[in-house]
Amino acid sequence: MNDKTIITIGREFGSGGHEIGKRLAAKLGIPFYDDELISEAAKNTGYNLDYVKENDERAPELSIGSYFSGIDIYQSTPYDNIQFEETRLIKDIASKGSCVIIGHAADFILKDEDHVSIFVFAPMADRVERKMALLTEEEAKDMTPAAMEKLCKQRDKQRRRFYEFYTDNKWGAKESYDLCINTSRTGLDGAVSIIETMIAESKGKNLLSDM
Amino acid sequence: MNDKTIITIGREFGSGGHEIGKRLAAKLGIPFYDDELISEAAKNTGYNLDYVKENDERAPELSIGSYFSGIDIYQSTPYDNIQFEETRLIKDIASKGSCVIIGHAADFILKDEDHVSIFVFAPMADRVERKMALLTEEEAKDMTPAAMEKLCKQRDKQRRRFYEFYTDNKWGAKESYDLCINTSRTGLDGAVSIIETMIAESKGKNLLSDM
């Protein structure tokens, strides 16, 4: 590839977005960013790594107090500080060259930079089954499918709140992305192939280019 | 191809779904159905072709009267008769072999038949520009971009009402489809290539097939 190729991947929890991005980046021979953003943001903001992990991709909770104090409607929170630093990192990474970035509203942060924006999803039952199958024997002792479903919903909700707090778009709505893939129908490698085709086909094309 | 390949394509008005389906069917050498369903349904129901065209992919308007008559909550309408016949045709066509079917809620009608379900969309401005560019010189005299935008919205609304009246799914919501493509980013031939990759990758794959 001569041109810079930037791919952002939003994902429902358990639908395989992290793994798809990792395989795609390996296949294309370009850097991959997901948790890497977290450790870098921790280093740069001075927050404890566990604290940043805990607050990564989360939106601030506004308290009634701050709404009605009459003094400060909204003050910058640790969430904001982490998000501002991750935003700076994402812009910096993308300006330097090709990359695959998972989550973190990267699609919106890079709206002025040419990139391919993907969202992957799958029916809840399949996501629960996949996440259960990925547990170690030890982890599986403390987890039931019902608890896993609750975790999926909780994480999706966090991601939605985060995305919609910091962007103007709707999380997981097709209008916010270039391509949405149901990974239950393609598997992970299938999704990688589809994204590769999308990258090749999206170079300089538009709705009027081959009428 | 040895296996039967059935592709359904839902589409926002002006996003190129009809043309994408036609090119895909030609490339795969399999039958294509869109208006063909209308003329066949007209022949079989005995309705006038123009009447069927007018009422194709439309949902019945329920009058207050029928809600409150206390006798008949809902009576079969010409819309239903056309839709019932088109449903029968779609099931019959799909049972016989590979095909590409545009709209008509074919994805839902064929939910028990293995098929690949696509939805194509594009930002309004691009759809208006494409539809304006496709007008003959004569047609262009009577059309403005503003009027074209109104037409796009009207046709999308009709399709949404039709789809949601006859199915349990949400029209244009990613959950209802296997793949959603923003054709502003791929052009029509690009979308065809992506669907071809999807067809190849979806054979026997699922979220647990290559963890």
Side-chain angles (χ1 to χ4, degrees):
Chain A
M1 269 177 303
N2 291 318
D3 297 337
K4 192 158 76 167
T5 300
I6 297 167
I7 303 118
T8 61
I9 304 181
R11 71 292 185 219
E12 286 182 350
F13 188 73
S15 67
H18 177 90
E19 188 60 27
I20 289 165
K22 215 159 119 180
R23 292 184 195 182
L24 179 69
K27 243 177 137 177
L28 299 176
I30 63 178
F32 169 76
Y33 296 93
D34 189 350
D35 299 341
E36 295 74 6
L37 287 167
I38 301 174
S39 44
E40 196 65 18
K43 211 171 67 190
N44 299 348
T45 54
Y47 289 111
N48 175 292
L49 180 59
D50 288 337
Y51 182 80
V52 176
K53 266 189 192 160
E54 180 67 24
N55 291 310
D56 183 53
E57 280 193 86
R58 294 185 71 165
E61 317 271 346
L62 292 180
S63 70
I64 293 289
S66 67
Y67 270 130
F68 291 102
S69 69
I71 300 165
D72 287 305
I73 295 301
Y74 181 65
Q75 286 191 314
S76 160
T77 66
Y79 296 92
D80 288 325
N81 298 337
I82 294 166
Q83 180 52 20
F84 290 162
E85 176 55 20
E86 288 187 355
T87 297
R88 197 194 62 75
L89 284 170
I90 287 169
K91 285 187 176 170
D92 187 50
I93 287 162
S95 75
K96 283 181 183 152
S98 298
C99 57
V100 177
I101 306 177
I102 307 298
H104 299 88
D107 57 305
F108 187 80
I109 292 167
L110 299 176
K111 62 185 187 299
D112 298 325
E113 174 100 48
D114 189 34
H115 75 284
V116 171
S117 166
I118 309 287
F119 189 86
V120 298
F121 67 99
M124 179 58 81
D126 293 349
R127 293 192 277 139
V128 169
E129 197 181 340
R130 174 169 177 270
K131 277 298 198 183
M132 291 301 289
L134 285 170
L135 295 176
T136 63
E137 214 170 299
E138 202 56 41
E139 289 169 334
K141 281 180 192 161
D142 298 322
M143 187 58 87
T144 62
M148 186 59 92
E149 180 170 338
K150 204 174 157 187
L151 181 66
C152 287
K153 285 182 181 163
Q154 193 180 36
R155 295 297 300 276
D156 283 352
K157 196 172 179 177
Q158 269 176 21
R159 287 174 182 176
R160 178 185 302 278
R161 283 191 71 242
F162 163 79
Y163 187 85
E164 296 181 359
F165 187 87
Y166 287 109
T167 83
D168 301 328
N169 295 342
K170 242 185 116 187
W171 184 79
K174 67 175 189 308
E175 292 77 17
S176 308
Y177 310 92
D178 299 329
L179 194 69
C180 298
I181 308 172
N182 178 349
T183 53
S184 278
R185 292 303 310 279
T186 63
L188 306 188
D189 287 336
V192 169
S193 298
I194 291 166
I195 298 169
E196 283 185 283
T197 308
M198 175 74 192
I199 293 166
E201 295 296 343
S202 63
K203 303 257 182 216
K205 298 259 184 78
N206 63 55
L207 199 45
L208 290 114
S209 61
D210 54 5
M211 294 178 52
Chain B
M1 269 176 306
N2 291 316
D3 298 336
K4 192 158 77 168
T5 300
I6 298 167
I7 303 118
T8 62
I9 304 181
R11 71 292 185 222
E12 284 182 353
F13 188 74
S15 66
H18 177 90
E19 187 62 27
I20 289 165
K22 214 160 119 179
R23 292 183 195 183
L24 179 69
K27 243 176 138 177
L28 299 175
I30 63 179
F32 170 76
Y33 295 94
D34 189 350
D35 299 340
E36 295 73 5
L37 287 167
I38 301 174
S39 44
E40 195 66 19
K43 210 171 67 190
N44 297 350
T45 54
Y47 289 111
N48 176 290
L49 180 59
D50 287 337
Y51 183 80
V52 176
K53 265 189 192 160
E54 180 66 26
N55 291 310
D56 183 53
E57 283 194 82
R58 294 186 70 165
E61 317 270 348
L62 292 180
S63 69
I64 294 288
S66 66
Y67 270 129
F68 292 101
S69 67
I71 300 167
D72 287 303
I73 294 301
Y74 182 65
Q75 286 192 316
S76 159
T77 66
Y79 296 93
D80 289 324
N81 299 338
I82 294 165
Q83 179 53 19
F84 291 160
E85 177 56 19
E86 289 186 356
T87 298
R88 197 194 62 73
L89 284 169
I90 287 169
K91 285 186 177 173
D92 187 50
I93 287 162
S95 75
K96 284 180 183 152
S98 298
C99 57
V100 176
I101 306 177
I102 306 298
H104 299 88
D107 57 307
F108 187 82
I109 291 167
L110 299 177
K111 63 185 186 297
D112 298 325
E113 175 100 48
D114 189 33
H115 74 285
V116 171
S117 166
I118 309 288
F119 189 86
V120 298
F121 67 99
M124 178 58 82
D126 293 350
R127 293 192 276 139
V128 168
E129 197 181 339
R130 173 169 177 271
K131 278 298 201 183
M132 291 300 290
L134 285 170
L135 295 175
T136 63
E137 212 168 302
E138 203 54 42
E139 289 169 332
K141 281 180 192 160
D142 297 324
M143 185 60 84
T144 63
M148 186 58 91
E149 179 170 337
K150 204 173 158 190
L151 180 65
C152 287
K153 285 181 180 163
Q154 193 181 36
R155 296 297 300 274
D156 283 352
K157 195 171 180 179
Q158 269 176 20
R159 287 174 182 177
R160 178 186 302 279
R161 284 192 70 242
F162 163 79
Y163 187 84
E164 296 182 358
F165 187 87
Y166 287 110
T167 82
D168 301 329
N169 295 342
K170 241 184 118 190
W171 184 77
K174 68 175 188 310
E175 293 77 18
S176 309
Y177 310 92
D178 298 330
L179 194 70
C180 297
I181 307 171
N182 179 349
T183 52
S184 277
R185 292 304 309 280
T186 63
L188 306 189
D189 287 337
V192 169
S193 299
I194 290 166
I195 298 170
E196 283 185 284
T197 308
M198 176 74 192
I199 293 167
E201 296 296 343
S202 63
K203 303 259 181 214
K205 298 258 185 80
N206 63 57
L207 200 44
L208 291 113
S209 62
D210 55 5
M211 294 179 51

